[in-house]
Amino acid sequence: MSGIWGVIGGTGLSALDGLEVEGEEFIQTPWGAPSAPVVRGRIGGQRVCFLARHGHPHRIPPHRVNYRANLWALREAGVDRIVAVNAVGGMHPALGTGAFCVPDQIIDYTWGRASTYFEDDLEAVTHIDFTSPYDEPLRQQLLEVLHTQGHRCLPGGVYAATQGPRLETAAEIRRLERDGADLVGMTGMPEAALARELGLAYACLALVVNPAAGKAAEVITMEAIEAVVAAGMEQVKLVLQQLLKDSPRL
C-alpha cells in the first residue's frame, strides 16, 4: 500500500479543513476530465488527496458526475483507500437528521451512468466480486472514530443509490424500504463499484441531511437541507481529521 488516503467530498464538502495543502493537479484520464483538481496535502502527517465530487464550486449534478474519471484520477495520484462522504436521506428509525451511517451494503437504482471500466477492447470478460461493496477494515476505523466522538450513528445499513437529481416520491421511498434500504442518496453508485474494479479500499461516511420523502410532515426544502449540511459537514471534517491522525503511518 502507498499510504496515501483519498477523500471524496460530496454535497457541502468542496474543501477539506485542516489539510496542509502541498499542491493540486488536474489529472487527465482515458475517461475524460474529473470533477475537480486532485488537491494534495497532509493531515496529522498523513498524505491525503482530496477531490470534490460535484466540482468546486458545487455545480455537477449526481447523474452528470464523471465517476470513472474521478476514481481513475485518485488512483493515478497514488491513492489506495478512499473515504467517500455522502449527504443522504434517512429511512431507518435511527437515522434522524444529523445522524451518521457507515453502510455495509448498497442497492443500485441508477441508470444510464458509465458504470464500469470493463466494457471495450477486452482480452476477457471481467466480473468483480461485489458481495461486500465496502472495505470492512476501513468501515471499522470510521465507526471507531464516530463512537469516540459521541456521534449518533448506525453502524451498518443498506444505501439505496437513486438517479436524481430530483428527490424521491413517498411511494418510491416505501418501495426502497420494502427492498431493505435504510438510507437514500444519489452518488453511491457507480462510485463504489469502480473503486472495487481499481482495487481501492473504499468506505462511505454518510450524513443524514433530511428525512426521506414521506418520513416527515414537512415539505423537504433545499433551505432546510443546506442548513443541516452546513452544520453537519463541520462534524464530518472533525471525523476525517481524527481518522487520519489516528491511523498508523504506512
Side-chain angles (χ1 to χ4, degrees), residues 202-217:
Y202 177 97
C204 168
L205 176 61
L207 171 70
V208 179
V209 298
N210 63 275
K215 291 297 179 181

Side-chain angles (χ1 to χ4, degrees), residues 7 11-12 32 93 105 117-118 142 158 169-170 173 185 190 195 197 207 234 247:
V7 175
T11 298
Q105 282 294 328
Y117 296 109
F118 301 124
L142 280 167
V158 179
T169 68
I173 292 299
E197 287 187 351
L207 171 70
E234 292 305 313
S247 295

Side-chain angles (χ1 to χ4, degrees), residues 87-109:
V88 301
M91 291 181 276
H92 190 283
L95 291 179
T97 300
F100 284 96
C101 182
V102 183
D104 58 356
Q105 282 294 328
I106 194 164
I107 303 175
D108 188 5
Y109 298 93

Side-chain angles (χ1 to χ4, degrees), residues 10-11 53-54 61-63 65 67 84-92 95 101 103 105-111 113 134 157-168 172-173 176-177 181-191 202 204-213 225:
T11 298
R53 183 188 290 118
H54 298 282
H63 66 299
V65 171
Y67 296 95
V85 178
N86 299 80
V88 301
M91 291 181 276
H92 190 283
L95 291 179
C101 182
Q105 282 294 328
I106 194 164
I107 303 175
D108 188 5
Y109 298 93
T110 66
W111 50 269
R113 301 183 182 189
Y134 301 106
V158 179
Y159 180 128
T162 59
Q163 179 69 0
R166 67 168 177 84
L167 298 176
E168 299 74 30
E172 286 170 332
I173 292 299
L176 299 183
E177 285 187 295
D182 302 297
L183 60 156
V184 58
M186 301 174 189
T187 54
M189 286 293 284
E191 197 172 86
Y202 177 97
C204 168
L205 176 61
L207 171 70
V208 179
V209 298
N210 63 275
I225 290 175

Side-chain angles (χ1 to χ4, degrees), residues 8-38:
I8 298 177
T11 298
L13 190 65
S14 57
L16 189 56
D17 286 2
L19 182 65
E20 300 170 15
V21 176
E22 298 177 342
E24 63 178 53
E25 180 182 6
F26 201 90
I27 300 174
Q28 292 295 334
T29 81
W31 315 98
S35 299
V38 173

